Structures are given as C-alpha cells and as structure tokens.
Amino acid sequence: MPVEQFEDESINKGSKKPSESDMLYYYKRLLPFRQIFQWLSHSPKPTKDFTFREFAYEHRSGAYQRYNSYTSLEDFKQTVINANPTRFEIGAVYKINPKDRKNLPKSVMKPVSKELVFDIDLTDYDDIRTCCQGTDICCKCWKFIQVGSKIIEFSLRQDFGFQHLIWVFSGRRGAHCWISDIRARNLDENSRRSIVEYLDILGKNGNKKSIKKPYHPHIERSFEILKNEFNNIVLTDQDPWFTDSTMSSDSKNWKCVDDLLSFIPNKELSKELKSKWQKDIHSTSKDKWEDINTIASKVLKSKSEVNYLNDAKKDIIIYFMYPRLDIEVSRQIIHLLKSPFCIHPGTGNVCVPFNPFKNISDNKEDDEYGFNPLNSPNIRDIQNELENYNKGNNELHDWEKTSLKPYIEYFSHFVNELTKEELKKRSRDNENENNLEF
Amino acid sequence: MFRQVKRRTAGRRNFEESNNKKLDYDLPKLYSCRLSFYDLPPTREITLEEFEKWAIDRLKILIEIESCNARSKSLKEIESSIRGLLLKYLPLSENQNIEERMKDHYSHYILRLVFCRTEELRKKFIKNETILFKVRYNSLQPREQQEFIELNKYKLSSWEYVTPQEKSELFDKLFASSYLMLKSHFLSGGENLTYDEVKQHVLIKENFIKLPFEKITNLVGTRSIYLHNGYGYLPTSLQLNLLSIEFQENLSLQLMKTFQTIPRLEEDDRLLPLLNNLSKSFSSFKYDTEMDPALISDINATSITSNSISKHFPLCAKHLQNNLIANSHLKYGGRQQLGLFLKGIGLNVDEAIKYWSHQFTKGGSMTVDTFNKEYKYNIRHQYGLEGARINYKPWDCSTILSKPRPNKNEYHGCPYRDFSIDKLVSSLNSMGINDQQELNSIVDDVGRHDYTIACTRVFELTHKSQIKNSQDSHINHPNLYFDRSRLLERGQNKEA
Ligand SMILES: [Zn+2]
C-alpha cells in the first residue's frame, strides 16, 4: 500500500526521477542501513523486532512486493541492493517471520507491534493554499506542515508522554512522524484510533461545526501556537480571502470568503460584511479580518454576541491551520510507510528526518523555515557532492561527505537515545526474571 | 425430593469451567463486599427449589430494568423504579448477610446459564445486569465504594488517586476537559447544572484518578478527559462508567464461555426445561392477582360500566366493553379476554352473570333464556366452577398478543397492535392525550412493536398529575394497569 503514487512526468521534470543506477549507487554508498537497522531492532544486534518485521518493495515496474524480512544488517543491505527497488517501506513486526507465512495458517500472521505513525500532507490544504496546488509545494505552504508538526509533537510528548519520535520529510509535500516508544509500538488499533481521533479535532473532511467550548487543553494549546502564525501564514502568505472588483462571484476567492463567512455566528453581521466586501475595489485577507471587528462593533449589541464572535474567530484560526491527518495510516498496525532516507521516486528527494523546531541543515538560508524542503538533499546533489569530495579522508563514511551528514547525525542521535532506553529496559526485565527464579 | 448429587455436578462443572481454572477461596472472602464482579463461581449445593426461586426473583428485577430501559428512563429513574423490587426480591443489606449475598451470587450465575444461549439474550442480560451493577454501586456508602475498588485492585491495578495539590494545580485544565462530560452526566441523572455549578462541583466534590490512557480509549478519542504524560484524569463521578465497562466486558467474556459449556448441561434432564422456562418468562412475565376484599367492594355488575370504574380500564378493556355495550354482544375471544379481566378486577361470578346477561339481552335480540342456555356455562367456566374447574387467570399482555388477531366484528387483542394509527390517535385523544409530541412517542413505540411500552406510556401520561415520583413500573398486564390506576386514585383521595 504505497502512500504516494508515481506522478506523471508532465508535472515532474523527467530529469528529477532517479535512474536505476542512481538508486544502486545510493543504496551501495549512501543510505544509512546501519542506523535504520538499529532503529528497528532497538538494539545494535538483530532482535525479533527486526527479523520478524515486514518490509515491502516498490519496483520500477510498479510491482509491489510485500512480506520481505531480513536476518541481519548485512542481509538487509545486500537484499535491498540486489532488489534495487525504487523505494522500500516498513511494516509491522509479526508473531512469526513474515517469510514463513506461506507454510503456516493465515491466523498466525498477526501483527504484534509497530511504531505509531502520523502522516500530514499538503494536498489536504488545497482549500486554503493559494501559493500552490496538488503536488507542488513551496516554502510558504510548507509552513502549514511546520506548524502542524509542532502541534502534533507537543501533544504526543506532553499529553501521551511519548519521547522517541522523529519527523521525516516524505520527499515531496508532506511529513511522517514515527513514534518509537515501546508503549507506542505495542498499542492496539483501538488505542491508535483514539489517539488520532484525539488529535484530529477537525474530524473527517474538516468538519466545520464549531468546536466545543470550553476548549480542551490540547485545543487551547494548539490555538496558542496557531494564533501567532495566523497573521503570517494565512493573512499574509496565502491571502485566501483577497478579492477585487474584477473577480466574478463564483471565483475560488469568493468561495473562500463564503467559507469564512459561514463561521460568523451572527446573520446580520455576515450580511453586512459581505455587502461591504462586494463594494470594495480591493480587499485583502488582512483587511477583511479587521473589517470583522469594525463592523461587529456597529452591529453586535450584547456582550454575549461579542463572545460568540470571538469564539468563532478562534474556530476560524483553528479550522484553517490545524493539521489535517490521515487516520488510516495511523490506525492500522499493518499499514506500511516509506522508510526514512528512501528516495522519493518522483522528485529524487531524500526522505530526511527534520526537527520542526530548529533547522538542522547547516544552511543559514533555511533557518527561517526550520526545515526547507526546497533545499533538502536530493539524490543528484549528493552524488555530485560525493564525487567531488577530494579531501581524500578515508576515515569518513561516504554520507559524511555529503549534505546528508547533519540529517544522518540527527537520526543517529535519535536511534541512540532509543536504544539506550531499550537496553535499560531489557536489563531491568532480565533482573526481574532472575529475581523470580532465585 | 431429587437427586442432589447430579444437580450439584451439573451445575458445578459448568460454573467452574466457565472460569477455566481451579479456584481456592472461602465464603467470607467471597461475600465480603455486597457488590461483586461475580468473578468466582458458586460451589455450594442449593436445592432445585432455591435454584428456580432465586432465578425468578432476579429475573423480576431484570425485567423491570429492561422495561425502564425501553422507555429510555435515566439511571436515577431506574433506581427509584426498582428500589422496592430490590428490597423484596434481592435485598443486599450492609450488614454481612451471607444468605442475601449468596442468593445474589447464585441467581446471577443461574441466569448466566439462561441467557448465554443467543446473541440477543446475552446482549439483554449484559445490558440489564450492568445497569443493576450501577444502581447498586450508587447505593453503596462511599466507604464501601472504596472498599470495593480496593477488593478488586487486581483488576484495577492501574488506578491512582490524584493528590489535592495536583488537583488544584491542574484545576483549570481538569475542568475544561471534563466539563462537557460532567454536564451531560448530571443531565442524564435529571440535574441541569449551569457552567458555574459544574465548576463548583468539580472544585469541591470531584476527586480524580489517573490511569494509563490505553484503559480509557473511548474517552481519549472524544477528548473527554485531561491527558498528561500518558495518563488520563478521570473525575469520581465518571469512575462508575469505567467500572461498568470492566463489568460489562468481563460478563460478556464469561457468557461466551458459559455458552460453550452449555451442551454438557443438557445431560441433566431437569435443568434444561427449567432454564427454557426462565428465558421464556423473561418476555412474558406473569402478573399475580392478589385480591383484597376491602378494595373490591365497589365492583359490581352496574358499577363497572360507570365512568368511576371504567376510567381505570386500559384501552383494550375499554374497547371491549364499549363494543359490548354498543352491540349487546361479544364474540368468544372478546368474552374470554374481557371476562377474565373483569374477574381480575374483583367482579364475582354472580355479578359477572348479571352483567353479561344484562348486556346480551338489553337490545332485545336475545332472551334471558337463550343467554342462560348458551352463555352462562361459559362464565361459570371462567370462574373455575365448571368443567376442569381450573381457576383461569386474567390474560396478561403477552397472552393477549399471542392469540390470533381480531377479525371483523371481533374486539379482543391489543389496540396498540390492532388499531390503525388514526383510530389509535383518536382513541388516545379521547383519553386526554392531545400533545403532538406525546402522541408521536406512543406511535413510535407502536412502530417498534413495543405495545406494552406504548401502553405504559399512556398510563404515565394519563396519570401525570398523580404520579409523584417515578416509582411506577412497566405494565405488562391489563389488570396491573387497572390496579395501579385505582391505587393512585386512592392515594390522591387520602391526601385530599
Ligand atoms: Zn506553496
């Protein structure tokens, strides 16, 4: 079940698509197999968490091959090189080795654990994005992902107490979050569903019903984050409610305006606003946002009406900026997701991990964005970087000679922290067992 | 008597296997709290009479709960509806009354055998037992509630009490998270609290427990609790929900296990019919007519057609009598149904003969002689004075509903089932029910084939001013309708 499909070439310049030999080069020299292996094994050695884990390949032909598994790091690396897929995906840990499933009854093929994962994708923001549509992205709309990932991360850490989570660029227009805490890996589907539902405050297809008051602390905290970005991201960058006298009433902008007005709880106020904006020759989103207050002070009579409007304005900010989640990706234990550090087959971008709070690329230009998807490592660039590296330092890994370096270091740190805790836990468990025995 | 040994083995094996492991415990521990998750199966012998009696007594309570439930009564209303029944049939007093606790314990396990056999019965049983569990939990002293939780620690090990200091630090968040759920919790109990009242309540009365969020996923998904660091914070008022989920899941699991062992029970030829009977009687519970001579002194051949008596008739009896009066005749089914009903309200055999003979002959189309020849015997028969001399009992609703439907010119049966909607509504209008919403709710009941529920609703609506607290219960017998109506009237007259 590939999460992202191949795009047709008219949108993506053919040159961006990595070739078979590009991929082979990348798997042989650059992809950090060891780090991925240790991340999934929760140990420097192979454990069942790794050996009973499902991997799937997407082949150049479009064929999708499930239920691969590996016995060791070497097996992992060699088999991927031999298969040379356009990408590989990570699935669940099963009760048995997925390879053995053919000889055994179906019922034993039960998923035991998997990282909890989240997927945010910019295509879900097309109703508010004005800078790009569909598969295109730019730094402006990436800010939605940026702020969305912050909100999700705060909740996962503070509300659910998870510690080992990492965000990964999906290679084009979205991001995945992997939560590797043992408690998260062992969640059943019911619990996974409840977590996504907890986080998915807009509900299916962005429910426009007003959010219940008082706001739940998670919503309140999210609002506090969003309200600081609203001016910048929505009113300035996207300006979705801009209208001028040349626009016809069925243009996308006017539809967005009607969308905005549908939140206004007072009928008279929303009528007044619309008729004012229809007369305006040139009115930006910022103008309109201010108009709401100005007109409201004339139209609204009671304190409670003002309160309702203020609530509605909070709802608007949340509605247009709160992250939109793919529920199925998170709920299903068996769902497969592209591995970090794979190459996006359409763009050639490396699916690098990133920190939503801080730029790690070593490039000052990106600091403003935290992570800048437009400057992120691409398979062509890093090949060139490696080929042109001529300091002759043989002690370095190949990836250390490329712009992948900060990302792999960031990932290694994450994996080491996770492994440390797993080892601690394992030795604790062993001790307890020994105590029982003697 | 009967073979004690066989009965014991049959029951015991089933109970034990349903729990799947060998159990070692003694009575005081088993009955140390009056509320129970019923984790341990009974092992002591009981007689077949006890077996049946205890099961029936518990059944009476579950039936009442079922009926309240069908009329969407709140938990509070159910509590007051079954309080009396509980005291009578299944008391559980605070003092260590082993007999009572044993009866509760055994009757629960016997009914597991009765109700495990179909999906539908299992669902009903779980639903009603869970409500009973809630009602009883609420009636415990706070001290006992804590003891109960303490006693079941092994199930609820992850519960942790939030300190007053933590509560006051987190107060705003705890309140914002739980407000909506607490508000609806009180609403379902009939209390409509304002925002500030709920706040006061949380501040003063609520204690919180925290537990791993995996235990309360339904509350996580709806954002109904405060979450911090992997723990959900649950207010005391809602802890019962959690307990009852535990109870429900447990029971559902156990019922399936019992179901799987049932075939072996069929070896005992005396238990099976008994169990069959019990499950049947769940849907048609018999109403016992007990007559107090002082209360029937005003029942005679002429008074029963007067408004002061007939106003207490349920619609089916009214309909029969009206047509008897109008046509000076009733066909066999109608004579049976009305005759036994009248017998049930206290009309003695002589008055009955007087009544029927007058009605049949008043139009002039029948002579008293013909009546005496053709119909008198029939009436004496109803009173057990002829033929097999069986003392026939008035038909209950399920008997009425099980008979063939009335054909043209027949008037027996249940009007809620047999009338067209228009005819039903105009009958209801003439009983004083005119509110469209009320009419709709009755028509809805009828649409769901819940005829006795419709009738009970009509009773409640037509006695609104007299019913003080909802101590009433489900009406499944025309005579119950009549008796209750008269009782309410007497209560009112006494007060006046
Ligand atoms: Zn863009």
Side-chain angles (χ1 to χ4, degrees):
Chain A
M1 42 192 88
V3 173
E4 287 177 51
Q5 306 296 329
F6 283 106
E7 281 78 27
D8 58 289
E9 304 211 3
S10 60
I11 301 170
N12 303 286
K13 291 173 217 115
S15 65
K16 273 196 167 181
K17 275 195 176 179
S19 69
E20 234 174 299
S21 59
D22 289 340
M23 290 309 299
L24 202 59
Y25 182 95
Y26 179 73
Y27 288 137
K28 279 185 171 161
R29 299 190 60 181
L30 288 165
L31 188 128
F33 280 101
R34 171 172 295 282
Q35 283 81 351
I36 294 173
F37 161 80
Q38 187 173 329
W39 167 47
L40 298 175
S41 194
H42 312 111
S43 158
K45 294 179 195 146
T47 64
K48 276 186 187 172
D49 285 355
F50 183 81
T51 57
F52 284 13
R53 167 86 71 162
E54 177 186 6
F55 291 83
Y57 298 144
E58 188 164 85
H59 291 287
R60 202 154 283 271
S61 62
Y64 193 70
Q65 184 190 351
R66 287 192 59 182
Y67 303 117
N68 303 286
S69 62
Y70 317 110
T71 55
S72 63
L73 166 61
E74 293 70 32
D75 185 27
F76 175 32
K77 181 169 180 177
Q78 202 49 53
T79 316
V80 170
I81 288 173
N82 292 346
N84 194 16
T86 53
R87 63 176 175 193
F88 62 89
E89 300 199 322
I90 298 171
V93 178
Y94 286 84
K95 226 164 143 181
I96 54 155
N97 190 329
K99 263 187 191 158
D100 299 336
R101 78 187 194 291
K102 279 184 191 147
N103 309 322
L104 293 162
K106 230 183 172 179
S107 56
V108 299
M109 194 54 194
K110 282 217 172 86
V112 178
S113 70
K114 200 191 68 178
E115 288 71 17
L116 174 64
V117 291
F118 290 93
D119 180 14
I120 332 180
D121 195 300
L122 272 176
T123 40
D124 295 324
Y125 292 79
D126 277 353
D127 57 338
I128 184 88
R129 276 207 295 173
T130 58
C131 54
C132 318
Q133 285 296 300
T135 56
D136 291 341
I137 63 157
C138 67
C139 291
K140 281 183 182 174
C141 51
W142 182 260
K143 288 179 185 168
F144 282 113
I145 301 288
Q146 198 79 31
V147 71
S149 53
K150 280 182 193 167
I151 281 172
I152 304 289
E153 172 144 357
F154 271 126
S155 178
L156 291 172
R157 287 189 189 274
Q158 297 176 4
D159 303 347
F160 293 96
F162 297 132
Q163 290 168 6
H164 302 283
L165 49 102
I166 193 151
W167 288 91
V168 180
F169 176 42
S170 73
R172 169 165 279 156
R173 60 196 166 182
H176 302 150
C177 180
W178 296 79
I179 301 112
S180 288
D181 296 62
I182 189 155
R183 185 171 174 187
R185 301 201 309 265
N186 288 332
L187 290 170
D188 62 16
E189 295 205 339
N190 202 10
S191 302
R192 285 171 204 250
R193 176 200 294 278
S194 78
I195 297 174
V196 221
E197 284 174 353
Y198 177 89
L199 291 172
D200 186 36
I201 65 176
L202 299 177
K204 223 179 165 155
N205 303 325
N207 204 340
K208 255 185 248 165
K209 271 194 214 143
S210 70
I211 301 162
K212 290 188 178 120
K213 314 288 175 324
Y215 277 170
H216 185 277
H218 162 63
I219 302 182
E220 195 64 52
R221 175 187 53 212
S222 305
F223 171 73
E224 291 300 319
I225 297 168
L226 295 173
K227 79 169 187 212
N228 295 325
E229 305 278 347
F230 182 69
N231 197 6
N232 171 16
I233 299 181
V234 176
L235 297 184
T236 310
D237 280 356
Q238 300 295 338
D239 196 9
W241 305 307
F242 171 78
T243 52
D244 65 24
S245 44
T246 66
M247 284 177 186
S248 74
S249 60
D250 59 355
S251 60
K252 188 188 171 192
N253 292 49
W254 274 111
K255 269 190 200 130
C256 285
V257 171
D258 287 338
D259 227 17
L260 171 68
L261 286 171
S262 70
F263 284 89
I264 304 293
N266 185 293
K267 283 234 172 72
E268 202 191 334
L269 175 60
S270 101
K271 236 197 222 155
E272 290 279 323
L273 285 169
K274 180 135 189 193
S275 80
K276 175 182 189 304
W277 295 340
Q278 278 165 336
K279 281 176 225 145
D280 285 342
I281 296 165
H282 181 100
S283 156
T284 65
S285 301
K286 217 177 235 166
D287 296 335
K288 291 195 171 69
W289 193 248
E290 276 155 21
D291 286 343
I292 296 178
N293 283 343
T294 332
I295 309 268
S297 65
K298 287 175 204 154
V299 174
L300 301 186
K301 286 162 201 96
S302 69
K303 182 98 200 313
S304 70
E305 281 178 318
V306 174
N307 287 342
Y308 281 133
L309 178 66
N310 286 334
D311 282 346
K313 285 170 69 185
K314 286 174 92 173
D315 285 353
I316 292 169
I317 293 176
I318 290 173
Y319 174 75
F320 287 106
M321 292 177 73
Y322 191 88
R324 293 142 199 228
L325 300 168
D326 184 330
I327 291 186
E328 288 309 298
V329 172
S330 306
R331 184 184 65 82
Q332 292 183 356
I333 299 180
I334 60 160
H335 203 287
L336 293 123
L337 202 61
K338 193 167 42 179
S339 170
F341 294 107
C342 271
I343 303 294
H344 189 287
T347 61
N349 287 332
V350 185
C351 302
V352 287
F354 66 90
N355 181 343
F357 297 93
K358 191 174 141 248
N359 176 37
I360 59 168
S361 76
D362 297 340
N363 182 347
K364 285 226 155 23
E365 263 178 50
D366 301 336
D367 285 356
E368 188 191 336
Y369 306 101
F371 170 74
N372 180 352
L374 301 187
N375 282 346
S376 77
N378 182 280
I379 188 164
R380 286 289 157 78
D381 303 336
I382 53 177
Q383 268 184 71
N384 287 335
E385 286 164 11
L386 184 55
E387 293 304 317
N388 296 329
Y389 190 89
N390 48 20
K391 285 181 192 150
N393 185 343
N394 285 328
E395 310 223 317
L396 291 181
H397 293 106
D398 281 344
W399 55 260
E400 286 178 285
K401 304 167 184 168
T402 71
S403 52
L404 274 181
K405 182 169 182 267
Y407 297 99
I408 293 182
E409 282 170 353
Y410 181 69
F411 189 70
S412 300
H413 177 73
F414 159 72
V415 174
N416 285 336
E417 291 299 305
L418 174 66
T419 318
K420 249 190 259 168
E421 188 172 303
E422 294 285 325
L423 289 179
K424 238 191 279 168
K425 200 199 157 287
R426 261 172 226 180
S427 71
R428 243 197 339 261
D429 289 353
N430 283 341
E431 238 170 66
N432 288 345
E433 245 168 62
N434 291 342
N435 286 347
L436 282 180
E437 273 171 40
F438 302 107
Chain B
M1 279 292 279
F2 57 95
R3 292 156 295 171
Q4 288 272 354
V5 181
K6 192 170 178 189
R7 148 85 197 96
R8 202 198 65 191
T9 22
R12 190 187 180 119
R13 188 174 46 209
N14 274 281
F15 289 145
E16 268 176 10
E17 274 168 358
S18 71
N19 220 342
N20 245 349
K21 56 185 166 208
K22 211 152 173 65
L23 291 155
D24 198 17
Y25 59 90
D26 48 6
L27 278 175
K29 196 177 162 204
L30 177 62
Y31 297 129
S32 62
C33 184
R34 49 179 170 145
L35 192 65
S36 170
F37 272 126
Y38 305 108
D39 284 336
L40 303 173
T43 50
R44 282 217 322 215
E45 288 176 14
I46 58 167
T47 66
L48 200 55
E49 283 78 8
E50 281 171 325
F51 186 92
E52 186 173 16
K53 172 97 174 44
W54 291 359
I56 288 176
D57 284 354
R58 191 182 195 88
L59 202 53
K60 284 179 182 161
I61 286 159
L62 297 189
I63 286 168
E64 184 56 30
I65 293 174
E66 169 76 14
S67 145
C68 288
N69 223 2
R71 284 171 290 148
S72 28
K73 298 264 179 184
S74 70
L75 188 63
K76 255 218 170 106
E77 289 171 309
I78 297 179
E79 263 170 37
S80 64
S81 256
I82 64 169
R83 193 177 297 134
L85 290 175
L86 274 176
L87 272 176
K88 187 168 174 192
Y89 295 113
L90 211 54
L92 275 181
S93 40
E94 216 183 315
N95 59 36
Q96 299 262 339
N97 188 329
I98 297 294
E99 285 293 306
E100 286 176 359
R101 294 182 189 188
M102 224 175 108
K103 179 175 176 183
D104 176 57
H105 185 211
Y106 276 77
S107 60
H108 170 84
Y109 268 89
I110 297 165
L111 292 192
R112 276 191 191 181
L113 296 174
V114 175
F115 282 96
C116 70
R117 285 181 284 174
T118 68
E119 175 73 27
E120 198 194 347
L121 286 173
R122 282 194 294 272
K123 265 196 197 148
K124 267 192 179 158
F125 184 63
I126 293 167
K127 191 177 70 193
N128 296 324
E129 278 282 337
T130 306
I131 292 172
L132 179 60
F133 175 83
K134 286 186 183 180
V135 167
R136 282 174 156 176
Y137 181 84
N138 281 338
S139 71
L140 294 183
Q141 306 295 326
R143 175 188 51 78
E144 288 179 288
Q145 292 181 347
Q146 281 213 341
E147 275 171 17
F148 175 71
I149 289 171
E150 212 45 51
L151 199 69
N152 290 284
K153 227 24 224 212
Y154 66 98
K155 271 183 189 301
L156 316 165
S157 55
S158 44
W159 289 39
E160 193 185 320
Y161 281 89
V162 170
T163 64
Q165 195 202 344
E166 194 181 1
K167 181 187 164 187
S168 74
E169 277 165 17
L170 293 174
F171 180 76
D172 288 340
K173 288 173 173 168
L174 291 174
F175 171 69
S177 315
S178 345
Y179 166 74
L180 286 167
M181 206 171 43
L182 283 169
K183 166 110 183 155
S184 66
H185 171 75
F186 290 121
L187 211 54
S188 73
E191 283 177 277
N192 192 358
L193 300 189
T194 64
Y195 183 85
D196 289 328
E197 282 168 344
V198 176
K199 198 163 191 165
Q200 273 305 305
H201 172 90
V202 176
L203 192 61
I204 295 161
K205 295 235 176 90
E206 292 292 344
N207 289 316
F208 285 79
I209 52 156
K210 51 181 172 183
L211 68 170
F213 73 86
E214 291 94 333
K215 297 259 169 195
I216 36 173
T217 50
N218 56 334
L219 300 176
V220 172
T222 53
R223 263 170 267 105
S224 306
I225 42 150
Y226 176 60
L227 269 181
H228 182 64
N229 223 357
Y231 286 91
Y233 287 65
L234 194 72
T236 344
S237 298
L238 302 170
Q239 285 161 19
L240 175 55
N241 282 344
L242 207 61
L243 282 175
S244 58
I245 289 170
E246 190 77 43
F247 182 88
Q248 219 170 337
E249 285 174 353
N250 194 37
L251 183 54
S252 147
L253 211 74
Q254 295 301 329
L255 275 183
M256 272 320 287
K257 284 187 182 162
T258 312
F259 177 55
Q260 281 147 12
T261 50
I262 263 274
R264 267 165 283 177
L265 188 76
E266 293 179 1
E267 292 161 19
D268 193 321
D269 47 356
R270 292 152 310 129
L271 278 187
L272 200 65
L274 197 61
L275 295 176
N276 277 333
N277 248 337
L278 284 171
S279 70
K280 239 184 265 158
S281 58
F282 182 74
S283 43
S284 60
F285 207 71
K286 296 282 178 291
Y287 169 70
D288 292 322
T289 38
E290 294 156 18
M291 265 184 266
D292 179 347
L295 300 181
I296 57 171
S297 56
D298 56 348
I299 303 289
N300 58 53
T302 44
S303 72
I304 57 175
T305 58
S306 71
N307 186 49
S308 64
I309 298 296
S310 70
K311 71 178 177 198
H312 300 293
F313 285 16
L315 188 52
C316 53
K318 255 188 202 125
H319 177 58
L320 281 163
Q321 176 159 278
N322 288 345
N323 282 289
L324 170 63
I325 293 169
N327 304 327
S328 298
H329 195 78
L330 265 188
K331 293 200 172 173
Y332 179 75
R335 291 202 304 274
Q336 288 294 91
Q337 186 175 334
L338 180 62
L340 289 171
F341 168 78
L342 294 173
K343 177 184 167 193
I345 71 169
L347 190 71
N348 68 37
V349 66
D350 295 334
E351 291 297 315
I353 291 167
K354 223 189 269 177
Y355 170 79
W356 288 102
S357 123
H358 171 70
Q359 291 301 340
F360 271 48
T361 57
K362 70 181 193 299
S365 57
M366 187 183 287
T367 63
V368 176
D369 266 0
T370 323
F371 175 83
N372 283 341
K373 243 186 263 158
E374 288 180 25
Y375 298 99
K376 198 171 161 185
Y377 174 90
N378 188 211
I379 292 158
R380 288 176 54 78
H381 190 263
Q382 282 181 352
Y383 280 78
L385 301 172
E386 302 284 354
R389 295 186 182 256
I390 292 166
N391 192 6
Y392 291 100
K393 286 194 168 171
W395 292 355
D396 64 2
C397 298
S398 71
T399 307
I400 293 170
L401 288 165
S402 70
K403 304 268 172 189
R405 294 180 185 223
N407 292 314
K408 202 173 178 319
N409 299 326
E410 287 186 328
Y411 306 100
H412 64 266
C414 171
Y416 297 98
R417 179 193 60 182
D418 303 327
F419 281 17
S420 70
I421 294 297
D422 288 338
K423 185 170 179 194
L424 180 60
V425 168
S426 79
S427 306
L428 294 170
N429 290 153
S430 68
M431 291 166 85
I433 301 173
N434 294 301
D435 181 273
Q436 196 53 49
Q437 218 177 332
E438 294 175 352
L439 289 168
N440 286 346
S441 63
I442 297 162
V443 171
D444 281 350
D445 291 334
V446 169
R448 280 192 301 270
H449 307 291
D450 288 332
Y451 308 115
T452 54
I453 287 163
C455 185
T456 307
R457 203 187 290 279
V458 168
F459 181 88
E460 286 169 1
L461 292 171
T462 50
H463 294 78
K464 244 188 275 185
S465 60
Q466 295 164 316
I467 299 174
K468 297 217 173 48
N469 30 29
S470 30
Q471 296 233 335
D472 57 301
S473 55
H474 182 204
I475 288 170
N476 51 18
H477 200 300
N479 290 83
L480 184 61
Y481 188 107
F482 179 85
D483 289 355
R484 193 165 287 162
S485 179
R486 293 249 291 171
L487 199 66
L488 282 173
E489 188 184 54
R490 274 198 295 273
Q492 201 181 33
N493 290 342
K494 227 181 264 169
E495 254 171 48

